[in-house]
Amino acid sequence: MNLPSLFSGVSTSLHFSPLLPALWLYILFALAVFILMTSFFYTRKSFFWRAACLAAFFFVLSGPALRVEKREAVPDIAALIIDESASQNFGQRTAQTNAAVQSIRSAINGFENIELRVAKGPKDGQLSSRTDLFQTLEDTLGDVPENRRAGAIFVTDGQVHDLPDLETLQNIYGPVHVFLTGEKDERDRRISVIEAPAFGIVGQNLGIKYRIMDSGAKAQEREDVRVTLKQAGQPTRSFFVKTGEEQHLEIPVTHAGQNIFELKVEDLSHEITTVNNRAVLDFQGVRDRLRVLLVSGRPHPGGRTWRDLLTSDPGVDLVHFTILREPDKIDSTPSSEMSLIAFPFRELFEVKLYDFDLIIFDRYRLNRILPDQYFENIARYVREGGAFLEVSGPDYASRDSIYNTALQSILPGVPTGEVLNGPFLPRFSAKGNIHPVTRGLTWGAPETETETIKTTGDAPQWGPWLRQIGLTLKSGDVLMTGNASRPLLILDRVGEGRAAQIASDQIWLWSRGYKGGGPHAELLRRLVHWLMKEPELD
């Protein structure tokens, strides 16, 4: 019950708090009424006094209380949401947004009972293709009761991705108004990438799905447009597709590591922006299996080092041949009693040569086993994109050197005929200090004390080698030097392929821990990956 108030903003009301439970009040009231009516039939004297006393008694039992409330009016809350997505920067949209915001502020400031909250969306620093303005609205009005929400005003270009249903709009947010920026007959074209895997297998094609979308005035549902595909070092491809239809494109994975393509569609005349007419496709190329052919000229301790390194990687398929019996070797054992197999030179160097990703010749020498034309096949294989590694032994400095074959055109080091015996420490050259294959190569110190060798004068923290083959640099880059600063590790690009040369067969000393050992596994791993054209090692 509300009583009239003498003062504005003050409310007076009467409330009851019974002293007894309601059931007992009802019983007592019924009993009192029965006694009162009985006395009325017997005698009517003092009936009204008795009734008044009875009413006063029950009024006291009902616990009357007078409550006075001081009330203060609070304003309703309206939200102004300003779209600051990238599309709002096109044309005159920024100026139109600023003018609309200023006009809305001026209009709402004229209402004493409305408070305006201003928020911008998407949130600062949010890089996304979505424009979630209603999430910004919910964050702005989240602490406001629904009966105090006066409504929402959006200043946007109309691209909103989290639009709720109509019932939610009406029941929760109240009236929603939109100030739409832009021009009347705007049009735009964009590429939408639907599906693009993050990884692809080298040598195979990667399938992506995309769609060309036209929107705005005079947009045709199906129209032939030109699309261009670009990749660094590859010819540009152009083809026609229809707008609005899902398209499938096969992209070749040319190398391991990062592969970047650009997909671009021709521009519309007088469209809003051409920024979204292109899409960058970035994915990683991975090798399914690395196929390596290792040919050892003779058994020696270094052959086991190469075999252990290559077989320890489950992603490597290794074919290893060691020549144990040469044609000029005197051996009275009948061939029928020997378990050795004939060297399958035609199978390896003609039929299946291009099946290998890397060929390693370890201390190989001319022994009239491999015909001359197969050396030319290997040289052609490297120039056309293959990889070749030569590990020099003493025979490389002799008449039986493989440098005296067609491999001369791809080998970066020319033999001087010297075999330098004696201990020496492999060191970085000036270029080796900065090249990814050898940069930061350390060994033998705790992690907290390990220091990268930065100059050729620093003493390496690894053991010595005992033999080096004299080479003169013909082409390529010397990354490591050895005895008397002679070239020890040389890398070279040959046509579309790569070649490397180690002027010593003593790296196995590091694997055996000779005088502290050295980083043989990491060095050889990086070297093999560079030959496989890993971009991070270029």
Side-chain angles (χ1 to χ4, degrees):
M1 176 188 300
N2 292 328
L3 300 179
S5 176
L6 299 178
F7 303 98
S8 176
V10 177
S11 175
T12 304
S13 57
L14 181 64
H15 291 268
F16 294 93
S17 300
L19 300 178
L20 294 175
L23 177 62
W24 283 104
L25 285 178
Y26 294 148
I27 294 175
L28 289 176
F29 183 76
L31 182 61
V33 171
F34 175 75
I35 295 174
L36 183 63
M37 295 305 296
T38 301
S39 65
F40 178 76
F41 283 107
Y42 285 97
T43 175
R44 298 185 181 183
K45 293 180 180 181
S46 305
F47 173 77
F48 291 103
W49 287 105
R50 294 172 183 171
C53 291
L54 181 63
F57 176 73
F58 278 100
F59 180 77
V60 172
L61 287 180
S62 65
L66 189 65
R67 184 168 61 186
V68 179
E69 298 179 351
K70 293 183 179 181
R71 297 183 177 182
E72 181 179 352
V74 293
D76 290 339
I77 307 297
L80 174 59
I81 309 299
I82 305 173
D83 184 359
E84 287 196 341
S85 59
S87 58
Q88 278 285 77
N89 298 322
F90 301 143
Q92 300 297 318
R93 294 182 178 182
T94 300
Q96 294 171 354
T97 298
N98 294 335
V101 170
Q102 184 177 359
S103 176
I104 294 169
R105 284 179 179 271
S106 300
I108 293 184
N109 286 339
F111 294 91
E112 296 182 356
N113 60 342
I114 296 181
E115 176 186 333
L116 182 64
R117 291 187 181 181
V118 181
K120 299 177 181 180
K123 295 181 179 179
D124 295 340
Q126 180 180 349
L127 298 178
S128 174
S129 59
R130 293 176 55 85
T131 303
D132 296 333
L133 296 185
F134 278 89
Q135 180 60 49
T136 304
L137 174 62
E138 181 61 33
D139 295 341
T140 304
L141 299 181
D143 60 337
V144 179
E146 293 184 12
N147 57 1
R148 288 190 59 198
R149 297 181 180 183
I153 304 173
F154 290 91
V155 181
T156 176
D157 58 4
Q159 293 292 329
V160 180
H161 297 92
D162 60 342
L163 184 67
D165 56 78
L166 183 59
E167 183 179 354
T168 302
L169 281 175
Q170 295 175 342
N171 297 337
I172 297 180
Y173 300 112
V176 176
H177 307 274
V178 177
F179 278 74
L180 199 61
T181 60
E183 304 299 332
K184 181 179 179 181
D185 293 327
E186 288 181 338
R187 53 194 309 208
D188 188 40
R189 172 174 290 167
R190 68 184 186 277
I191 293 181
S192 175
V193 178
I194 302 172
E195 181 180 315
F199 297 92
I201 298 177
V202 176
Q204 299 184 14
N205 289 336
L206 182 73
I208 69 166
K209 296 179 181 179
Y210 67 99
R211 182 182 289 112
I212 308 298
M213 303 294 295
D214 283 352
S215 59
K218 302 178 182 178
Q220 298 184 18
E221 187 176 353
R222 298 290 184 269
E223 180 183 359
D224 290 329
V225 294
R226 181 190 296 274
V227 176
T228 303
L229 180 66
K230 295 181 180 180
Q231 183 194 22
Q234 299 293 328
T236 300
R237 293 168 52 189
S238 295
F239 42 88
F240 286 90
V241 300
K242 288 188 177 297
T243 60
E245 295 183 358
E246 183 177 298
Q247 306 293 334
H248 182 79
L249 179 63
E250 295 287 334
I251 297 180
V253 184
T254 57
H255 60 267
Q258 188 178 47
N259 288 253
I260 300 178
F261 288 80
E262 181 192 66
L263 196 62
K264 185 178 184 301
V265 62
E266 62 180 333
D267 301 338
L268 272 173
S269 60
H270 306 294
E271 63 175 314
I272 300 174
T273 178
T274 60
V275 173
N276 52 7
N277 289 12
R278 65 189 66 200
V280 176
L281 308 173
D282 182 0
F283 57 88
Q284 293 292 321
V286 295
R287 296 185 181 277
D288 182 20
R289 304 286 292 180
L290 179 64
R291 294 172 290 274
V292 179
L293 172 62
L294 173 61
V295 180
S296 299
R298 62 181 61 192
H300 72 105
R304 184 176 183 86
T305 298
W306 281 105
R307 186 176 183 87
D308 290 346
L309 174 70
L310 295 172
T311 56
S312 65
D313 188 345
V316 173
D317 287 334
L318 176 65
V319 177
H320 184 193
F321 280 90
T322 301
I323 299 174
L324 300 177
R325 184 181 185 184
E326 300 176 351
D328 56 354
K329 184 177 181 180
I330 300 176
D331 192 338
S332 59
T333 305
S335 299
S336 59
E337 297 181 8
M338 300 181 68
S339 61
L340 304 181
I341 64 172
F343 193 83
F345 54 82
R346 182 178 179 276
E347 184 76 10
L348 295 178
F349 299 110
E350 183 175 347
V351 178
K352 295 186 176 180
L353 177 63
Y354 284 82
D355 290 343
F356 293 105
D357 299 300
L358 172 64
I359 297 176
I360 302 175
F361 273 20
D362 177 31
R363 290 193 59 175
Y364 189 86
R365 74 184 186 97
L366 297 180
N367 46 26
R368 297 184 298 279
I369 291 180
L370 194 62
D372 293 340
Q373 68 267 24
Y374 293 116
F375 290 109
E376 176 59 38
N377 288 350
I378 298 174
R380 186 184 310 112
Y381 155 82
V382 174
R383 287 191 293 268
E384 293 178 358
F388 182 79
L389 172 61
E390 197 276 332
V391 183
S392 302
D395 292 319
Y396 191 77
S398 68
R399 292 182 178 180
D400 295 329
S401 173
I402 61 173
Y403 189 80
N404 299 322
T405 67
L407 295 181
Q408 180 180 138
S409 62
I410 65 170
L411 289 171
V414 181
T416 63
E418 300 175 278
V419 178
L420 307 173
N421 292 304
F424 66 91
L425 282 179
R427 295 176 180 268
F428 296 149
S429 67
K431 186 164 290 186
N433 284 320
I434 60 176
H435 197 285
V437 171
T438 50
R439 182 178 62 218
L441 208 60
T442 56
W443 183 260
E447 291 186 3
T448 57
E449 302 177 2
T450 300
E451 295 183 359
T452 303
I453 301 174
K454 297 181 180 179
T455 65
T456 55
D458 293 332
Q461 299 178 6
W462 48 57
W465 294 1
L466 302 180
R467 179 167 59 209
Q468 182 177 356
I469 311 304
L471 296 181
T472 300
L473 182 66
K474 181 178 69 174
S475 60
D477 299 323
V478 177
L479 302 190
M480 298 184 74
T481 60
N483 200 326
S485 298
R486 303 288 186 92
L488 181 61
L489 173 61
I490 308 174
L491 307 184
D492 192 19
R493 289 176 168 83
V494 183
E496 297 181 4
R498 299 187 178 188
Q501 197 166 10
I502 302 177
S504 176
D505 58 349
Q506 299 288 293
I507 196 171
W508 64 272
L509 293 172
W510 278 359
S511 66
R512 301 290 179 86
Y514 176 71
K515 292 191 175 181
H520 72 287
E522 179 64 15
L523 175 61
L524 296 179
R525 183 191 68 81
R526 294 187 190 182
L527 179 59
V528 169
H529 284 197
W530 180 86
L531 290 167
M532 294 294 96
K533 304 177 182 178
E534 296 287 353
E536 61 269 19
L537 291 175
D538 278 338

